[in-house]
Amino acid sequence: PSFGSILDLVGASTVTLLTFIFPPYFYMKLSDASIGKKEWTQRKLPLWERIYCWALIVIGLAGGACATYTAVRNIFSSSLSVPCYLMGDTTNVTISAGGH
């Protein structure tokens, strides 16, 4: 597989987690954890904000799943070719000198 396909897989699985799923999830968890702690500032989320956070999580999960599926499909559907440095026959390799 090509390096771009591997980057697609890493980006699809981690970027969606770090931008769409983890921030609203941890925000809700920290807000809920502040309710029982006297030394923390009390933070109770309104219902609309909790719905908004869950909508971001669901959209992130759907987008991340689609992107990860596409990246994995591209990795397995790409044709595997022998690199030029492993070819025993050098007739197919073109080496040119000069850059013009």
Side-chain angles (χ1 to χ4, degrees):
S2 67
F3 185 64
S5 298
I6 302 298
L7 285 179
D8 288 343
L9 177 63
V10 170
S13 58
T14 59
V15 171
T16 55
L17 283 172
L18 292 174
T19 57
F20 286 102
I21 297 170
F22 286 157
Y25 178 73
F26 291 142
Y27 175 66
M28 289 189 299
K29 289 303 252 184
L30 284 172
S31 295
D32 291 343
S34 71
I35 294 173
K37 311 276 188 200
K38 293 190 187 268
E39 61 272 1
W40 289 14
T41 303
Q42 299 297 311
R43 175 91 174 127
K44 180 158 173 44
L45 290 179
L47 180 63
W48 66 269
E49 195 170 1
R50 194 170 293 276
I51 291 171
Y52 181 71
C53 286
W54 279 110
L56 283 175
I57 291 171
V58 168
I59 290 169
L61 284 173
C66 290
T68 302
Y69 170 76
T70 303
V72 170
R73 188 185 68 198
N74 288 340
I75 288 173
F76 287 114
S77 69
S78 65
S79 63
L80 298 176
S81 60
V82 178
C84 65
Y85 57 85
L86 291 179
M87 290 182 188
D89 186 6
T90 58
T91 57
N92 294 333
V93 178
T94 305
I95 300 173
S96 62
H100 304 291

